[in-house]
Amino acid sequence: MGEALPRVLAILVRAHDQPGVLHDLTEVIYRHNANISYVDITDRQDGEASTYFELEGVADPSSLIRDLSELEVVISTEEMPSFWKIFGKRIIVVGGGAQVGQVVLGAVSEADRHNIRGERISIDTIPLVGEKELAAAVRAVGRLPRAKALVLAGSLMGGEITEAVREVREKGIAVVSLNMAGSVPDEADLVVSDPVQAGVMTVMHVASTAKFDIRRQKGKRY
């Protein structure tokens, strides 16, 4: 089985979309001594909006949900399965469309094998061109919740992208690069020539049901 899931209470609050609503919701959460580990506001339409919370340290979930539901601005409150439980750890694949597709082929095939055994690993992609665009995408990975690894799939990457790779690695995100021209491969944790194999090896690193540590391969090329 996969590693133990974080103990969180995930709730979805449907409320009127107006100033001060988030303050009202978080005040109730504060009174229950709960810590907000993740929050997202979605589905804004017809004067209403949904706010999704993942909370830690909730001693009495039923009481918290009841207190939120009693707020005048709240329309409905519902306990949900957490994003970690549904989608789990995330691998992000960025680069040229053809190479991205091949990396995803390997990553999805390998993730399926581990997810059947109890893991939760999801694969996200975006095909991009341009140094500034790619550097911005790499840096954004450091702000994504549950992101554990980044695969850079392309033919030439360097310059500002390399600096962005350094930044996300400092945040604990593993970086795999295809064997390409430019300085990015020199900064990555692992360099793999075959894009399908790059996807497979990245999933093996992220999965707790596998014994493979990319960082122990630093400086090696396959």
Side-chain angles (χ1 to χ4, degrees):
M1 297 295 289
E3 66 188 64
L5 298 175
R7 297 183 63 180
V8 301
L9 171 67
I11 54 176
L12 186 69
V13 181
R14 188 70 178 170
H16 296 292
D17 191 5
Q18 63 189 46
V21 169
L22 189 59
H23 174 272
D24 293 341
L25 299 178
T26 55
E27 185 177 37
V28 172
I29 293 169
Y30 170 75
R31 291 205 305 267
H32 282 261
N33 290 320
N35 184 51
I36 300 172
S37 58
Y38 180 75
V39 61
D40 191 16
I41 299 175
T42 63
D43 193 21
R44 299 181 64 196
Q45 57 181 336
D46 300 326
E48 300 177 0
S50 295
T51 305
Y52 170 80
F53 292 99
E54 290 187 0
L55 308 174
E56 299 173 343
V58 181
D60 189 345
S62 298
S63 177
L64 172 58
I65 292 173
R66 183 183 64 246
D67 289 350
L68 287 170
S69 300
E70 289 176 352
L71 290 173
E72 185 177 347
V73 296
V74 170
I75 299 166
S76 64
T77 306
E78 182 180 4
E79 184 174 353
M80 310 289 289
S82 71
F83 281 152
W84 184 280
K85 185 175 182 179
I86 297 173
F87 293 108
K89 293 168 280 192
R90 301 170 72 183
I91 294 172
I92 315 298
V93 187
V94 178
Q99 293 98 326
V100 164
Q102 290 300 299
V103 172
V104 170
L105 177 64
V108 168
S109 298
E110 183 69 10
D112 181 66
R113 187 169 71 89
H114 292 281
N115 288 348
I116 288 173
R117 296 161 64 190
E119 279 280 2
R120 283 296 180 267
I121 300 172
S122 54
I123 317 298
D124 298 321
T125 69
I126 180 168
L128 283 175
V129 294
E131 181 179 343
K132 290 185 178 181
E133 290 80 2
L134 283 164
V138 170
R139 289 190 172 100
V141 173
R143 304 192 298 271
L144 290 176
R146 309 183 321 281
K148 299 298 181 181
L150 166 67
V151 184
L152 291 170
S155 302
L156 170 64
M157 293 187 192
E160 189 177 351
I161 305 169
T162 304
E163 180 59 35
V165 167
R166 294 193 190 100
E167 293 172 15
V168 297
R169 288 186 65 239
E170 289 175 357
K171 295 180 179 180
I173 296 173
V175 177
V176 176
S177 170
L178 296 189
N179 195 7
M180 66 177 84
S183 55
V184 160
D186 295 330
E187 196 63 37
D189 292 290
L190 179 67
V191 180
V192 184
S193 298
D194 182 352
V196 174
Q197 189 64 24
V200 170
M201 296 175 79
T202 304
V203 171
M204 289 176 62
H205 168 72
V206 166
S208 59
T209 47
K211 296 182 178 180
F212 178 73
D213 187 349
I214 280 176
R215 293 184 175 89
R216 296 181 64 179
Q217 309 298 314
K218 179 64 178 174
K220 297 183 180 180
R221 300 195 180 207
Y222 294 95

